[in-house]
Amino acid sequence: MRDVTGDIEAARGTGDEPSIVGPQPTEDGPRVVDAALPDEEREFDAALRPRSLDEFVGQERIKEQLALLIDGARARGETVDHLLFSGPPGLGKTTLGGIVANELGVGFQPTSGPALDRPGDLAAILTNLQEGDVLFVDEIHRMPRPVEEVLYPALEDFKLDVVLGKGPSARSIRLDLPRFTLVGATTRPGRITLPLRERFGFSPRLDYYSVEDLGAIVHRSAGILQVAVDAEGADEIARRSRGTPRVANRLLRRVRDFAQVRHDGTIGGAVARAGLELFEVDEEGLDKLDLSLLSSIVNKFGGGPVGLSTLAAAVGEETDTVEDVVEPYLLQLGLLQRTPRGRIATQRAYRHLGVTPEGVLPLP
């Protein structure tokens, strides 16, 4: 086992907390409909997060299940089982982790899988936890395997194995840890190893939100931002938010700017539509990149099939960006099909673009 004592002392000595590694913006900046959270939006995002289950909108079944877990643990004076939240970005996994800590009245220690480079990074965090604290690890599937192996005894027995010395004189000791709750969040649950996954007591998957729930979120966020928004304006923003609260909040910010600069500051239906059109977000929540990809398939490649690398070159993006960022929402809406031969535009895509399957004549 690796000697982590030096890493522990080094991490303690700096007094710094591990940073959360977020997505890096492109040269043109983040897309307004991107569910990823750029570093410059973290403070704004944190200000809008609910602090309790009562304030949290949507995910009703998961809220009910969490309430039972929290009430049961509180009644027994125990810690909540380790939790693993999975689902697309922007649906509230981090928020729910913070809510668990708030509901229990314990500390909340956030970090991320990529930030835990060495076993000593994790060991330093674990030894500084207080009894009952919640340790939140975002993108837990990106945690290195040596770090993950240190976590196994900590999750099961609340013990930390440490190797003292090197070579023939090295010896292993086991340190007691305070009982804590690990809350993991992942957008790729399939990449989590089976030994780690089985150590979580409850593993819910968050789903996309309905337009009604997103409208309620827009109203709540508008109240915090002190922006006047009516039901039609909130509904217009909600319908274009891709089922994602983070996108809804970002669109609200953009429409707020439009309403305050070019109108009287009130967000009605007409103002919301005009503002979202200015930022090139259509009625289905598609932006310029989404429409460019669909148009390329239809107009340049006869509707497909077309290979991923060829399609990425046609729209001027990396293949990873096309596959992981652009395509999922188009697939969800039924505008795109993935086949063994390549990508194909569906009949709904033709209707959305306003062309016939031949790609030349407007539809009546």
Side-chain angles (χ1 to χ4, degrees), residues 21 34 54 79 93 166 199 221 237 253 283 331:
V21 178
D34 193 351
D54 291 337
T79 58
K93 297 184 291 296
K166 295 181 180 180
R199 285 170 167 81
S221 298
I237 295 173
R253 290 178 66 194
E283 64 277 3
L331 291 168

Side-chain angles (χ1 to χ4, degrees), residues 21-62:
V21 178
Q24 299 302 313
T26 63
E27 293 182 359
D28 298 329
R31 300 164 64 204
V32 70
V33 294
D34 193 351
L37 181 62
D39 290 339
E40 61 270 18
E41 291 189 11
R42 291 193 183 279
E43 184 176 352
F44 165 80
D45 185 73
L48 297 182
R49 284 178 177 166
R51 299 293 190 270
S52 67
L53 287 175
D54 291 337
E55 296 178 3
F56 192 91
V57 178
Q59 311 292 342
E60 296 300 328
R61 179 55 62 89
I62 294 177

Side-chain angles (χ1 to χ4, degrees), residues 67-308:
L68 285 174
L69 292 176
I70 292 171
D71 291 343
R74 187 188 295 119
R76 295 187 300 270
E78 300 175 354
T79 58
V80 175
D81 283 346
H82 303 301
L83 309 173
L84 176 63
F85 297 120
S86 62
L91 298 188
K93 297 184 291 296
T94 304
T95 299
L96 285 174
I99 286 175
V100 170
N102 289 335
E103 294 281 359
L104 292 172
V106 297
F108 181 69
Q109 173 65 55
T111 185
S112 70
L116 301 173
D117 291 330
R118 304 167 299 174
D121 297 332
L122 177 61
I125 295 175
L126 292 175
T127 54
N128 281 306
L129 292 175
Q130 303 297 318
E131 188 73 22
D133 279 359
V134 170
L135 171 61
F136 178 81
V137 181
D138 196 15
E139 295 300 305
I140 195 171
H141 65 274
R142 297 174 62 187
M143 190 165 51
R145 182 60 63 85
V147 178
E148 182 180 312
E149 292 174 352
V150 172
L151 193 57
Y152 293 160
L155 294 179
E156 283 194 339
D157 306 320
F158 300 101
K159 306 287 184 181
L160 178 63
D161 293 323
V162 178
V163 176
L164 300 178
K166 295 181 180 180
S169 61
R171 60 191 181 91
S172 176
I173 63 172
R174 176 163 278 201
L175 302 178
D176 291 329
L177 295 174
R179 299 186 70 84
F180 68 96
T181 296
L182 174 68
V183 178
T186 178
T187 56
R188 300 287 183 86
R191 294 190 179 181
I192 297 179
T193 61
L194 184 60
L196 179 58
R197 189 184 308 158
E198 290 183 341
R199 285 170 167 81
F200 290 97
F202 180 50
S203 304
R205 175 177 175 82
L206 277 66
D207 297 320
Y208 287 105
Y209 289 63
S210 66
V211 173
E212 292 75 16
D213 286 340
L214 287 172
I217 291 172
V218 170
H219 275 294
R220 178 184 178 277
S221 298
I224 295 174
L225 297 174
Q226 298 182 343
V227 179
V229 58
D230 63 18
E232 186 181 357
D235 182 69
E236 194 68 39
I237 295 173
R239 286 193 298 106
R240 306 188 189 207
S241 299
R242 297 172 173 248
T244 306
R246 183 177 294 159
V247 176
N249 287 331
R250 184 180 293 138
L251 294 182
L252 174 62
R253 290 178 66 194
R254 300 287 76 81
V255 174
R256 175 190 63 174
D257 295 336
F258 178 81
Q260 291 178 346
V261 173
R262 298 193 177 181
H263 295 273
D264 61 359
T266 301
I267 300 177
V271 171
R273 283 190 291 274
L276 292 170
E277 287 173 5
L278 176 65
F279 288 101
E280 299 180 300
V281 180
D282 73 8
E283 64 277 3
E284 292 279 2
L286 304 184
D287 69 351
K288 185 176 181 181
L289 181 55
D290 298 316
L291 295 174
S292 175
L293 186 140
L294 288 179
S295 297
S296 295
I297 297 176
V298 169
N299 297 319
K300 296 180 181 178
F301 304 104
V306 55
L308 175 61

